[in-house]
């Protein structure tokens, strides 16, 4: 789960990390009030969206007066911010207003899981402000990497070494690194990133930007964090799918896919592409999908206007083919099926499933295997489009 | 022979009195697996389909000689269940549970590496392990598998079923099929399982099914290049997956240009593996290459 910058900063502040003083505002009135409370200009107005590259896209503005503040806020709130990272854009429903920082130099600091060794890794670099991926590609030697022992945690001596290497105020940096690690662990974060970490002209360290992603699996013990999720940053169909525990990701193509299992769902997208088509989505209905879930999955697929054909690819394991067939019949009662539907079923109770569909009177097209199904769906979609 | 589980496997099912646990314990037993015990704290003395239930894994091991565990405990308690199995001396642990917090798995894996370096964890968030005709320790439908000589390792459940089904269509059975799971921190890796297949006299060829995200497939490719003489076939799912979007499995994400299907396929080709591009032709490609058609 992604959090907004302001939420990340408010959380990290609780761990003793130095963040610029600021306020969140959902309306112009709240923004003016916030400026009043902060008491002095210049201030920085930052659009809150789940997307990087805001600065270049006009989502971050330095303002020196109430007039400029008003202009900046009006230019952001209620608008869609498009950045190079999200060309489709994200709606701005709130802005963060903070006191401006006197920047001397920018650094990079993050903690995430290194999957290769199953340990957290702290990364720090003097090339702040840049995308860390860029730095990794062009100047890998500029990134200091430190693997952290999960049982021991991050030790001051380890953080100190990095502070000396980067030439940063040692005590301040150690406090920040240790606090950041504590936040990473206690919040069950999958990523905590400070980019940039700023050395101010006053020789102090400040978290100018902050990013915290939470491990979705850990939300079961962080009900308070779960409430922070901003659903406006997600695709509405994805939000709808989440309600029924369906794993749905909208894509740009015109062939809707419904599959059980994440691996097979990706494979189905791939085979559509191999057959010359473009998948409209990733949809994993899960191993133990119930009739109701299948019906809702189908409804969500149909709600995507780009879909010109549907390819259902199910390998029955726990999800039995007869249950799938019943779900499809239920779905057909709920939504009007306006596009051709190709069904490929195999596995547990497949004969029963095929029989149920054949006797249902629904005009589904049978496929003998994945390749046949993909080719049929692609041919039908191009005819319909 | 085969790997990890066989007819000598004595299985204890942790979380046996739950809905999933009791259903699959029964299914495993019906397949022919020796399911000797179940564990649910506080429910010792009960029976599930004739399988005795114990309070602790340690008791189950003492009373029944269980040497393999299958875990269905809910996500909040699953890491603890793995530790309990380790502490009881179980060396093959299969964890089916989906949704375990990453931090929990990170701690457990660290504990395991330091204290039980010989234990083998499969999963979590996986379909389990099957040695056709001998033992099923997992949730896969047994009937689509067939005894034979192809070793399969995969992150994904249904994709494993698909591949096994295709192989079976061509008369090619499986020595053992291992689903290692889709979580970012898990037990055995592709490389680890390939190393086991490499040593197994019953395995003549290896099918590795990978997917986008991480570097496990690249590490497996390194190992194959250095050590494996048996024919290796590989399929990588997710060639169309957009960067930055998590494709169902917590591990399946292309981030920072790393973990793409193309890079993985390239590494495997360089290691001498046959990379299968069309997933509908996994069975056909292997059958042709092995001269079985």
């Amino acid at each position: 789960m992604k959090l907004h910058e302001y939420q990340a900063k408010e959380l990290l502040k609780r761990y003793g990390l130095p963040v610029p003083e600021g306020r969140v505002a959902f309306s112009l009135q709240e923004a003016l009030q916030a400026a009043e409370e902060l008491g002095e200009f210049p201030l920085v107005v930052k659009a809150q969206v789940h997307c990087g590259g805001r600065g270049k896209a006009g989502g971050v503005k330095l303002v020196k007066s109430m007039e400029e503040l008003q202009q900046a806020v009006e230019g952001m709130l209620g608008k869609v911010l498009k950045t190079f990272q999200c060309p489709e854009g994200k709606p701005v429903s709130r802005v963060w207003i903070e006191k401006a920082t006197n920047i001397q130099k920018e650094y990079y600091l993050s903690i995430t899981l290194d999957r290769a060794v199953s340990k957290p890794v702290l990364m720090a670099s003097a090339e702040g402000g840049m995308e860390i991926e860029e730095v990794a590609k062009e100047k890998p030697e500029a990134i200091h990497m430190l693997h952290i022992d999960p049982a021991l945690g991050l030790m001051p001596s380890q953080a100190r070494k990095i502070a000396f290497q980067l030439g940063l105020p040692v005590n301040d940096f150690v406090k920040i690194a240790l606090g950041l690690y504590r936040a990473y662990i206690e919040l069950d974060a999958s990523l905590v990133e400070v980019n940039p970490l700023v050395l101010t002209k006053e020789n102090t360290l400040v978290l100018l930007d902050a990013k915290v992603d939470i491990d979705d699996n850990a939300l079961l013990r962080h009900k308070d964090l779960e409430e922070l999720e901003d659903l406006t940053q997600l695709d509405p169909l994805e939000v709808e799918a989440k309600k029924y525990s369906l794993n749905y990701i909208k894509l740009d193509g015109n062939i809707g896919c419904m599959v059980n299992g994440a691996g097979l769902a990706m494979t189905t997208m791939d085979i559509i592409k191999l057959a010359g088509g473009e998948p409209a989505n990733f949809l994993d209905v899960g191993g133990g999908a119930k009739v109701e879930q299948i019906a809702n999955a189908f409804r969500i697929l149909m709600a995507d206007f780009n879909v010109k054909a549907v390819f259902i690819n199910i390998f029955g394991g726990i999800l039995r083919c007869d249950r799938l067939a019943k779900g499809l019949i239920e779905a057909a009662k709920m939504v009007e099926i306006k596009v051709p539907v190709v069904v490929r079923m195999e596995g547990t109770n497949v004969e029963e499933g095929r029989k149920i569909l054949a006797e249902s009177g629904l005009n589904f097209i049978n496929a003998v295997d994945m390749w046949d199904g993909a080719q049929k769906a692609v041919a039908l979609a191009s005819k319909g489009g | 022979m085969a790997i990890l589980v066989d007819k000598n496997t004595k299985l204890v099912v942790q979380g046996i009195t739950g809905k999933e646990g009791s259903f699959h314990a029964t299914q495993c037993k019906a397949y022919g697996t020796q399911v000797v015990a179940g564990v649910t704290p506080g429910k010792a003395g009960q029976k599930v389909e004739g399988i005795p239930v114990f309070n602790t894994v340690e008791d189950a091991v003492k009373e029944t000689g269980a040497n393999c565990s299958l875990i269905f405990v809910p996500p909040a308690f699953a890491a603890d269940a793995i530790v309990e199995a380790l502490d009881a001396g179980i060396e093959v642990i299969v964890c089916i549970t989906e949704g375990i917090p990453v931090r929990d798995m990170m701690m457990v894996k660290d504990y395991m590496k330091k204290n039980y370096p010989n234990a083998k964890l499969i999963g979590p968030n996986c379909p389990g392990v099957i040695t056709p005709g001998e033992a099923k320790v997992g949730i896969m439908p047994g009937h689509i598998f067939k005894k034979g000589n192809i070793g399969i390792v995969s992150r994904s459940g249904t994709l494993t079923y698909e591949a096994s089904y295709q192989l079976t269509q061509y008369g090619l059975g499986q020595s053992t099929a291992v689903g290692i799971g889709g979580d970012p921190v898990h037990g055995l890796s592709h490389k680890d399982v390939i190393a086991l297949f490499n040593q197994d006299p019953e395995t003549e060829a290896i099918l590795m099914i990978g997917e986008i995200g991480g570097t496990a497939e690249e590490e497996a490719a390194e190992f194959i290049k250095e050590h494996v003489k048996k024919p290796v076939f590989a399929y990588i799912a997710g060639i169309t997956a957009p960067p930055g979007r998590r494709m169902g499995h917590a591990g399946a994400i292309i981030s920072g240009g790393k973990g793409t299907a193309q890079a993985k396929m390239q590494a495997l080709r360089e290691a001498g593996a046959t990379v299968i591009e069309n997933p509908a032709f996994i069975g056909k490609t292997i059958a042709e290459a092995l001269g079985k058609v």
Side-chain angles (χ1 to χ4, degrees):
Chain A
M1 186 185 84
K2 289 182 175 172
L3 295 177
H4 283 301
E5 174 199 2
Y6 79 95
Q7 295 166 325
K9 281 182 170 169
E10 284 171 355
L11 283 168
L12 293 178
K13 199 176 166 186
R14 289 187 214 162
Y15 290 88
L17 298 177
V19 298
E21 193 186 347
R23 301 276 188 280
V24 64
F26 289 78
S27 65
L28 178 62
Q29 202 189 346
E30 284 180 16
L32 296 173
Q33 168 83 28
E36 200 77 37
E37 285 171 20
L38 291 169
E40 59 184 36
F41 284 97
L43 293 171
V44 182
V45 183
K46 304 178 90 176
Q48 298 297 293
V49 285
H50 289 179
C51 189
R54 290 174 301 172
K56 286 184 192 124
V60 180
K61 290 251 159 77
L62 181 77
V63 296
K64 296 191 178 98
S65 64
M66 277 294 181
E67 292 69 42
E68 284 183 26
L69 176 97
Q70 178 161 353
Q71 207 180 0
V73 172
E74 283 176 341
M76 292 180 200
L77 276 181
K79 305 283 187 325
V80 171
L81 186 69
K82 292 183 183 175
T83 80
F84 69 96
Q85 283 189 19
C86 317
E88 79 284 4
K90 298 273 183 198
V92 184
S93 61
R94 57 200 89 174
V95 293
W96 170 250
I97 300 165
E98 70 181 18
K99 289 187 178 170
T101 303
N102 290 319
I103 300 169
Q104 184 186 146
K105 188 167 164 39
E106 301 188 342
Y107 294 83
Y108 174 93
L109 179 64
S110 72
I111 301 171
T112 187
L113 171 76
D114 183 350
R115 287 169 46 172
V117 292
S118 301
K119 282 178 185 176
V121 59
L122 178 144
M123 286 190 279
S125 152
E127 308 289 324
M130 264 173 89
E131 286 293 309
I132 193 69
E133 287 87 4
E134 295 284 309
V135 183
K137 219 185 292 166
E138 282 155 30
K139 276 175 90 179
E141 71 285 355
I143 302 175
H144 300 270
M145 292 191 27
L146 171 67
H147 284 101
I148 300 165
D149 184 302
L152 189 62
L154 177 62
M155 299 304 276
S157 61
Q158 299 168 330
R160 205 179 299 133
K161 209 170 113 186
I162 291 180
F164 282 121
Q165 284 165 342
L166 292 175
L168 286 173
V170 174
N171 290 341
D172 285 359
F173 181 81
V174 170
K175 201 176 150 224
I176 288 174
L178 264 62
L180 199 65
Y181 183 69
R182 205 158 67 83
Y184 170 80
I185 290 294
E186 286 178 17
L187 298 172
D188 274 297
S190 48
L191 170 73
V192 288
E193 185 180 65
V194 183
N195 191 17
L197 172 70
V198 159
L199 179 65
T200 65
K201 290 186 175 149
E202 298 81 28
N203 273 323
T204 58
L205 289 172
V206 170
L207 282 63
L208 198 62
D209 199 356
K211 192 171 164 191
V212 173
D213 292 350
I214 307 292
D215 171 17
D216 291 324
N217 285 354
L219 290 174
L220 55 94
R221 57 187 174 215
H222 296 287
K223 291 295 168 207
D224 52 329
L225 295 180
E226 203 172 5
E227 284 167 15
L228 296 180
E229 182 159 39
D230 178 5
L231 295 177
T232 67
Q233 300 296 307
L234 304 174
D235 184 276
L237 288 178
E238 292 179 15
V239 176
E240 181 71 7
K242 232 175 151 178
K243 271 195 234 164
Y244 302 99
S245 309
L246 299 165
N247 210 327
Y248 171 89
I249 294 170
K250 195 176 159 353
L251 302 167
D252 298 329
N254 62 5
I255 299 172
C257 320
M258 181 162 127
V259 190
N260 63 329
L264 193 60
M266 270 192 277
T267 298
T268 305
M269 286 163 43
D270 293 350
I271 204 164
I272 286 171
K273 182 99 175 172
L274 281 172
E278 289 290 338
N281 64 282
F282 167 95
L283 173 59
D284 169 15
V285 296
K290 305 201 168 45
V291 170
E292 188 209 352
Q293 262 173 306
I294 292 179
N296 280 302
F298 201 70
R299 187 172 58 74
I300 288 162
L301 278 189
M302 289 295 162
D304 178 353
F305 295 118
N306 294 330
V307 169
K308 298 283 179 267
V310 169
F311 179 25
I312 298 175
N313 184 17
I314 299 290
F315 205 106
I318 314 212
L319 171 60
R320 303 181 326 239
C321 294
D322 56 319
R323 198 190 276 172
L324 171 82
K326 284 179 193 152
L328 290 178
I329 291 168
E330 279 307 306
K333 288 181 199 159
M334 285 165 62
V335 281
E336 191 193 346
I337 301 175
K338 291 180 228 156
V339 299
V341 178
V342 179
V343 183
R344 182 271 177 152
M345 273 195 286
E346 207 54 72
T348 313
N349 294 2
V350 63
E351 294 309 326
E352 223 181 310
R354 285 189 184 139
K355 192 161 161 259
I356 292 170
L357 281 189
E359 288 167 1
S360 70
L362 290 169
N363 192 18
F364 289 163
I365 298 130
N366 270 315
V368 292
D369 59 30
M370 258 202 297
W371 187 227
D372 181 42
Q375 286 180 313
K376 280 179 175 159
V378 171
L380 289 162
S382 60
K383 226 190 283 171
Chain B
M1 270 297 287
I3 65 166
L4 297 167
V5 302
D6 58 26
K7 55 185 183 302
N8 299 317
T9 295
K10 287 183 169 180
L11 187 66
V12 51
V13 176
Q14 291 176 255
I16 195 169
T17 55
K19 197 172 138 228
E20 294 265 301
S22 62
F23 175 77
H24 289 292
T26 312
Q27 293 284 309
C28 290
K29 194 177 163 189
Y31 188 82
T33 313
Q34 291 189 62
V35 185
V36 297
V39 169
T40 299
K43 298 203 171 165
Q46 291 187 9
K47 285 200 167 170
V48 172
E49 297 287 320
I51 305 160
V53 179
F54 298 87
N55 279 334
T56 66
V57 179
E58 189 179 23
D59 289 348
V61 169
K62 253 188 226 153
E63 297 294 321
T64 67
N67 56 14
C68 175
S69 165
L70 178 61
I71 299 176
F72 289 99
V73 171
F77 316 105
D80 185 28
I82 297 171
V83 170
E84 185 182 352
L86 287 167
D87 287 345
I90 301 265
E91 293 217 325
V92 176
I93 301 167
V94 178
C95 184
I96 304 297
T97 310
E98 182 180 349
I100 304 179
V102 175
R103 192 222 305 171
D104 295 6
M105 279 313 302
M106 188 173 79
M107 296 296 178
V108 167
K109 188 153 183 185
D110 185 55
Y111 177 75
M112 190 168 126
K113 270 195 277 189
K114 287 169 181 163
N115 298 286
Y116 303 101
N118 295 322
K120 293 180 179 69
L121 171 68
I122 296 97
N125 188 14
C126 78
V129 184
I130 185 167
T131 294
E134 298 199 26
K136 169 174 117 100
V137 179
I139 60 173
M140 62 289 277
H143 62 86
I144 57 168
F145 296 87
K146 177 180 142 76
K147 195 167 180 56
N149 306 100
I150 315 277
I152 302 181
V153 55
S154 165
R155 282 201 225 171
S156 153
T158 45
L159 194 48
T160 311
Y161 311 164
E162 174 75 41
S164 301
Y165 173 78
Q166 287 186 26
L167 288 172
T168 303
Q169 298 286 93
Y170 282 90
L172 291 169
Q174 302 86 42
S175 52
T176 303
V178 186
I180 58 173
D183 278 5
V185 177
H186 57 232
L188 295 188
S189 65
H190 277 114
K191 184 188 88 181
D192 298 332
V193 177
I194 288 170
L196 294 174
F197 279 135
N198 199 33
Q199 300 291 325
D200 172 36
E202 269 181 38
T203 301
E204 288 171 7
I206 300 165
L207 168 61
M208 169 179 142
I209 301 173
E211 60 190 40
I212 53 159
T215 54
E217 288 80 1
E218 286 85 340
E219 283 155 29
E222 270 309 296
F223 182 85
I224 292 165
K225 203 177 195 172
E226 297 275 307
H227 302 284
V228 182
K229 296 279 178 292
K230 296 176 184 183
V232 178
F233 300 87
Y235 168 71
I236 306 290
I239 200 148
T240 51
R245 304 302 309 266
R246 201 177 90 164
M247 291 287 142
H249 287 159
I253 183 165
I254 299 170
S255 47
K258 275 194 178 160
T260 64
Q262 285 83 355
K264 289 169 189 291
M265 295 198 292
Q266 183 61 27
L268 285 157
R269 277 198 193 98
E270 281 166 15
T274 304
V275 174
I276 302 167
E277 297 205 14
N278 188 327
F281 301 142
I282 293 173
K284 187 168 177 252
T285 309
I286 298 178
E288 283 173 0
L290 299 179
K292 300 285 167 82
V293 277

